[in-house]
Amino acid sequence: MQRLIKPEELSFDFKKLNLLWMILMTFLTLGAYIGVWFIKNKNNINNITRKHGIHFGLWTFFTVLSFSFLFISLFGGVVLSDYGEEIINSYETIFNYFFVGLHYYSIFRMKEMMEEYFDMELNIFLLFFFHIFYIQYKINQNQQTHSNSFA
């Protein structure tokens, strides 16, 4: 990957987040919080490099669609027939496969970016199983270790 700016010129606003809060929000939103996390960190990721390959337009689309499916899952029985619910469930299944693909693609691009820019090693097994939680853990750890690396 090619760097856009020198590391000493970087300005970040990565927030130190409580991991339990992230897990709770992900659980309560049935995974939709993952998209919110990527969208909230869009500017920080773009400050590091634009050649990371993370498509934030897709993340916005998938996050809106994810919250729409969540809303339909909760309240669809009131408006939809059984057949309508089954159609929506089949679309949701297809959507979930695309969401997981985008999710892991983006997580491993973040891994490459963080290893290059912050000189840290990320364990691919922990990354695979704990995805954004592991990334946020490493961000929190980096803030504690190198408090002057972040704004």
Side-chain angles (χ1 to χ4, degrees):
M1 273 193 259
Q2 182 183 14
R3 294 181 182 169
L4 292 177
I5 51 180
K6 297 175 187 167
E8 58 270 8
E9 297 172 353
L10 291 174
S11 173
F12 297 100
D13 192 23
F14 278 111
K15 301 280 190 250
K16 182 177 179 180
L17 296 175
N18 185 328
L19 293 177
L20 291 176
W21 173 254
M22 288 180 64
I23 293 168
L24 178 66
M25 289 303 296
T26 303
F27 178 74
L28 291 176
T29 61
L30 302 178
Y33 181 77
I34 293 170
V36 171
W37 185 86
F38 271 102
I39 293 168
K40 283 174 57 175
N41 287 300
K42 173 185 175 181
N43 291 334
N44 299 316
I45 294 167
N46 282 336
N47 281 344
I48 295 172
T49 180
R50 296 199 193 288
K51 293 196 174 216
H52 48 70
I54 298 175
H55 304 284
F56 292 105
L58 282 176
W59 270 112
T60 303
F61 173 74
F62 275 97
T63 302
V64 169
L65 200 56
S66 184
F67 277 110
S68 300
F69 281 129
L70 176 62
F71 183 77
I72 290 169
S73 295
L74 295 174
F75 304 109
V78 176
V79 180
L80 299 172
S81 67
D82 290 340
Y83 180 72
E85 285 187 79
E86 289 304 317
I87 295 292
I88 295 296
N89 287 340
S90 63
Y91 286 133
E92 186 176 10
T93 301
I94 295 167
F95 160 78
N96 286 334
Y97 283 109
F98 283 112
F99 185 86
V100 168
L102 177 65
H103 176 233
Y104 280 106
Y105 175 81
S106 300
I107 285 296
F108 280 95
R109 298 299 72 80
M110 286 272 310
K111 173 192 178 295
E112 292 172 356
M113 175 193 68
M114 290 177 73
E115 285 181 342
E116 178 182 346
Y117 247 80
F118 301 122
D119 294 327
M120 63 173 62
E121 288 293 319
L122 278 78
N123 184 314
I124 61 171
F125 297 109
L126 291 175
L127 186 65
F128 180 80
F129 289 110
F130 299 109
H131 42 87
I132 65 167
F133 311 120
Y134 182 60
I135 294 283
Q136 187 63 53
Y137 169 77
K138 293 303 259 184
I139 289 170
N140 292 349
Q141 188 180 45
N142 195 40
Q143 280 185 329
Q144 288 175 344
T145 307
H146 304 98
S147 61
N148 61 354
S149 295
F150 295 98

